[in-house]
Amino acid sequence: MRLIALNDLHGNLEPPSGSSGRVVDAGGADVDAGGAAFLATHVAQLRAQVPSVLLSVGDNVGASPVASALFHDEPTIDLLDQLGVAASTAGNHEFDEGYAELQRMQAGGCHPTDGCEFRPDFAGATFPILGADVVRDSGEPALPASTVVEVGGVRIGVIGATLRDLPTVVSAEGVRGLRFTDEIEAIDAASDALTARGVKAQVVLLHQGDEGAGGGPSECAVKPDGPGSAIARGVSAAVDAVFTAHTHQQYACSVPDPAGVQRPLVQGLSFGRLLSVVDLAVDPGTGDVVRADTRARNEIVTRDVPPDPAVEALVAEATAKAAPIADEPVGSLAGDLVRAAGPSGESPLGDVIADAQLEATRGAGAQVAITNPGGIRADLQGGTVTYGQAFTVQPFGNIMQTITMTGAQLDAVLEQQWQQQSPRILQISSTLAYTWSQAAPAGEKVSGITIGGVAVDPAARYRVSVNNFLAAGGDNFTVFAQGTDLVGGPVDLDALLAFLAAHPNLAPPPTTRITTAP
């Protein structure tokens, strides 16, 4: 029997553009990939070969392009229903608009403020949205821990869990009233409950993963000691496979369970560019999974197959209804603005967004602006820029906030870029510059910080603009939360739109603000 999974779709109904719409295959070649109509065809082809079930590992919605986001991601839920998704776990972006909105995604009904703008009504997801480790402050489960699906006459227990650190990557309002418990403990409890029901074949949909190390779609090229691998090694030996997500990486690995028996660990990039496929071998007499005969891989969602007509019609409906807003020109570029970072961690698009945020908050006394790379979701191609393209780049609707920080606090927050398995380099305005050293120990990596070409004084006070997510300490940049004298500003997208309008034929800036040392 076959398990097919997608992860981190983020409402990408149309084929994603730029680097977000490509996959590096096993031979190192770039392959155009993704698009819901092509995804549907690949799913159908995989299903036709063997009894199969389709699953999702979360972040189906949120940070979505305008054709989905303009309608509160209802078109994406309709897509997943149309594809026949049997179960999904909740990702962090399922909480972007709060728990009540996640419940509406599940149960249906019109948006409480905007109503039903995509279609006259919204039925909600036909599949359960799982979260074994998501509980209310009262201790009651906030989401179902698991579900059971039947494939080829075999019952399979599907357990869903999201990352325990979810509150650090969404706004505080989005998770108000909720707690996120230890992933392994929650998965093990759900596994025990399934075992008590006689369900022997079990898989986990885990919205957490590892950082990749540059391998092909079905290679096990991951950096060591990743959180996804740690959880996959630690959960109950009754679990037969672990699908991961969140890090937008491609890998197909095998890891030992606590009893020393290998089981698959797999992730399929993002935006519908890959499908993760696990072919489970099941003993028909016992119902147990034969791990030695189980295989995992990732399949590229190529665009050389006929698009599925029904899904193509759904996508066309969403894009047509969004077109009056999405197609409006908002600026022009002399060349491509890419979000891919160079060796220093700086990117041309990150530079432009930070400059836009600085320009939009000068009235609040801003001297520098800093933005998080995770908030930059796509490239901008040269030529005319439309509202829809700009929205795809900055879809969160975060509010700019200008705060006062000391020079010592600014240094401390820049040092926090090295808290993760891989550095998370903040994008900075042209007024800020510094050097970081790869060899220096954590906490001492940053040197030579200047603002406007003048060395930063640890005791002096500076006005720094960030979005409200960072201002609250998001992405574990907790020093930002120490800022004082907060003044609110525009929405981050509006800052970018104003900047593009004020700077026609904008050229990509040189990435020279952050320099590196041995």
Side-chain angles (χ1 to χ4, degrees), residues 4-7 9 22-25 33-35 39 42-43 46 216-218 248-251 266-277 297-302:
I4 310 165
L6 56 93
N7 61 274
L9 180 63
R22 292 191 293 270
V23 171
V24 178
D25 68 14
L39 177 75
H42 281 273
V43 169
L46 288 166
S218 296
H248 294 202
Q249 303 295 317
Q250 56 182 30
Y251 52 80
V266 62
Q267 184 178 153
L269 277 178
S270 59
F271 306 155
R273 291 174 287 169
L274 291 179
L275 286 167
S276 297
V277 181
R297 61 184 174 87
N298 282 315
E299 174 164 312
I300 300 175
V301 177
T302 60

Side-chain angles (χ1 to χ4, degrees), residues 20 53 67 77 87 89 100 119 123 136 148 155 224 239 261-262 275 289 308 351 425 429 445 456 459 472 493 498:
S20 297
V53 62
I77 298 298
T89 193
R119 289 174 174 168
R136 303 175 193 269
V148 177
R155 292 193 304 162
V239 171
V261 182
Q262 296 290 317
L275 286 167
V289 172
D308 180 275
D351 285 353
I425 302 299
S429 63
K445 289 186 173 293
V456 164
L493 175 59

Side-chain angles (χ1 to χ4, degrees), residues 85-357:
V85 169
S88 175
T89 193
N92 51 292
H93 284 282
E94 267 75 20
F95 294 90
D96 280 351
E97 294 189 45
Y99 178 55
E101 176 66 359
L102 173 55
Q103 289 179 303
R104 189 181 77 87
M105 290 290 101
Q106 178 72 85
C110 294
H111 190 273
T113 302
D114 298 330
C116 283
E117 295 186 327
F118 180 53
R119 289 174 174 168
D121 53 25
F122 173 59
T126 58
F127 52 89
I129 302 173
L130 309 175
D133 56 338
V134 187
V135 299
R136 303 175 193 269
D137 283 343
S138 63
E140 296 296 315
L143 297 171
S146 68
T147 190
V148 177
V149 299
E150 188 167 318
V151 187
V154 176
R155 292 193 304 162
I156 300 175
V158 180
I159 302 166
T162 194
L163 66 160
R164 184 180 187 178
D165 293 336
L166 189 148
T168 69
V169 295
V170 301
S171 69
E173 188 62 32
V175 292
R176 190 176 304 280
L178 300 175
R179 292 189 292 110
F180 297 82
T181 64
D182 182 83
E183 300 100 330
I184 293 176
E185 292 178 3
I187 291 168
D188 283 357
S191 175
D192 289 345
L194 288 169
T195 299
R197 295 169 57 188
V199 180
K200 297 182 178 181
Q202 299 180 16
V203 299
V204 167
L205 307 178
L206 173 65
H207 196 78
Q208 177 59 287
D210 293 345
E211 294 294 339
S218 296
E219 294 178 38
C220 184
V222 296
K223 295 182 179 180
D225 304 318
S229 290
I231 295 168
R233 290 189 179 96
V235 296
S236 170
V239 171
D240 297 299
V242 180
F243 294 92
T244 67
H246 185 56
T247 52
H248 294 202
Q249 303 295 317
Q250 56 182 30
Y251 52 80
C253 299
S254 180
V255 298
D257 68 17
V261 182
Q262 296 290 317
R263 57 186 170 199
L265 171 73
V266 62
Q267 184 178 153
L269 277 178
S270 59
F271 306 155
R273 291 174 287 169
L274 291 179
L275 286 167
S276 297
V277 181
V278 174
D279 288 321
L280 291 177
V282 178
D283 185 320
T286 65
D288 287 322
V289 172
V290 183
R291 301 264 191 92
D293 296 331
T294 292
R295 300 289 180 266
R297 61 184 174 87
N298 282 315
E299 174 164 312
I300 300 175
V301 177
T302 60
R303 300 177 191 170
D304 58 357
V305 298
D308 180 275
V311 171
E312 196 172 35
L314 170 64
V315 174
E317 179 185 358
T319 54
K321 289 179 177 178
I325 294 174
D327 294 345
E328 180 182 352
V330 295
S332 58
L333 301 176
D336 293 349
L337 281 177
V338 299
R339 62 175 179 150
S344 70
E346 182 183 351
S347 76
L349 183 53
D351 285 353
V352 166
I353 289 173
D355 287 347
Q357 295 178 352

Side-chain angles (χ1 to χ4, degrees), residues 370 403-416 426 449 456-462 464 477-484:
I370 302 175
I403 55 178
T404 297
M405 301 180 71
T406 66
Q409 289 172 329
L410 182 59
D411 177 75
V413 82
L414 293 176
E415 294 287 357
Q416 288 187 316
L426 297 161
I449 306 173
V456 164
D457 180 349
R461 295 159 63 85
Y462 301 93
V464 179
F477 288 105
T478 55
V479 177
F480 280 127
Q482 299 173 16
T484 59

Side-chain angles (χ1 to χ4, degrees), residues 349-494:
L349 183 53
D351 285 353
V352 166
I353 289 173
D355 287 347
Q357 295 178 352
L358 176 62
E359 194 164 294
T361 56
R362 285 287 196 186
Q367 296 166 274
V368 300
I370 302 175
T371 195
N372 52 312
I376 305 171
R377 308 301 293 190
D379 301 335
L380 279 177
Q381 295 180 312
T384 300
V385 179
T386 65
Y387 177 87
Q389 291 167 335
F391 184 97
T392 299
V393 171
Q394 293 259 269
F396 291 104
N398 287 321
I399 306 299
M400 294 308 303
Q401 297 182 334
T402 304
I403 55 178
T404 297
M405 301 180 71
T406 66
Q409 289 172 329
L410 182 59
D411 177 75
V413 82
L414 293 176
E415 294 287 357
Q416 288 187 316
Q417 295 173 118
W418 286 270
Q419 298 177 93
Q420 313 295 325
Q421 186 183 12
S422 296
R424 180 174 289 145
I425 302 299
L426 297 161
Q427 303 302 292
I428 59 176
S429 63
S430 62
T431 51
L432 180 63
Y434 67 91
T435 298
W436 65 267
S437 168
Q438 181 68 52
E444 301 177 16
K445 289 186 173 293
V446 174
S447 63
I449 306 173
T450 62
I451 293 178
V454 179
V456 164
D457 180 349
R461 295 159 63 85
Y462 301 93
R463 293 292 281 166
V464 179
S465 288
V466 293
N467 60 46
N468 61 300
F469 171 70
L470 282 179
D475 276 347
N476 281 319
F477 288 105
T478 55
V479 177
F480 280 127
Q482 299 173 16
T484 59
D485 304 320
L486 187 151
V487 175
V491 173
D492 53 5
L493 175 59
D494 290 343

